DNA sequence: CCCTGATTCGC
DNA sequence: GCGAATCAGG
């Protein structure tokens, strides 16, 4: 398979939508997630741009020597130029917030329950976006791999669980993890 | 072990 | 340019 305009278009679209590389690969067919990621990088959209892309520009290119075990001596580490600008006003963070009363019946552990604290508009937007395509599964269908974020009022039939694929070890999907946990300041970090 | 994206490097 | 292999991490 080759990267036709159409396929690239789909790739861009899905990537900016937050789809994972494997999902995109599956959708396109004929390619692996590696191929997708590789293409994403070559296209220069490794960073999920599109909307609230925080301009984390000029990352200090630590002039540290890497004593590690270099397979091959790289020529240099050209710190990315990172021309970050274009800051489209973040669309209003979803005023769509019907009176949500206590979710979760009588459970004790309930990490979520936003509204009290300020959650990044981006995170909220992400959640509402996710809730639209949530699988809406019942409690019976929850597994180790499904997001267990409850939505709606348990007292009504308008209650379901997100059900989207959760990260290993985490009870929620990426989006819900974002609003469930405050300390999400440990991300975006150049490895190696 | 499941998954994620990131990077390298032979092709 | 491509993507498998590899790596780093949740």
């Amino acid at each position: 398979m080759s990267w036709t305009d159409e396929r690239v278009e789909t790739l861009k679209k899905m990537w900016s939508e937050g789809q994972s590389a494997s999902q995109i690969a599956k959708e396109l067919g004929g390619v692996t997630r590696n191929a997708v990621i590789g293409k994403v990088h070559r296209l220069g959209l490794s960073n999920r741009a599109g909307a609230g892309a925080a301009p984390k520009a000029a990352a200090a290119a630590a002039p540290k020597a890497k004593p590690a075990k270099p397979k091959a001596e790289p020529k240099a580490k050209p710190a990315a130029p990172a021309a970050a600008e274009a800051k489209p006003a973040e669309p209003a963070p979803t005023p769509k917030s019907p009176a949500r009363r206590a979710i979760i019946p009588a459970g004790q552990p309930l990490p979520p329950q936003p509204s009290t604290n300020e959650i990044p508009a981006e995170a909220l937007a992400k959640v509402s976006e996710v809730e639209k395509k949530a699988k809406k599964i019942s409690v019976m269908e929850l597994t180790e791999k499904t997001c267990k974020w409850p939505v709606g009022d348990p007292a009504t039939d308008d209650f379901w669980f997100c059900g989207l694929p959760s990260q290993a070890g985490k009870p929620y999907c990426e989006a819900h993890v974002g609003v469930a946990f405050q300390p999400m300041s440990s991300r975006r970090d150049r490895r190696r």
Side-chain angles (χ1 to χ4, degrees), chain A residues 89-106:
Chain A
E90 186 67 25
T94 310
K96 163 186 168 294
S97 176
R100 79 163 73 182
R101 44 197 94 272
I103 347 179
I104 300 183

Side-chain angles (χ1 to χ4, degrees), chain A residues 15-51:
Chain A
W15 184 259
S16 61
E17 268 174 37
Q19 300 280 357
S20 70
S22 61
Q23 285 182 300
I24 297 173
K26 182 185 172 186
E27 171 71 29
L28 292 172
V31 289
T32 65
R33 71 185 195 88
N34 290 305
V36 170
I37 292 175
K39 185 60 181 177
V40 162
H41 282 227
R42 265 171 262 125
L43 286 172
L45 33 71
S46 54
N47 185 301
R48 302 279 205 196

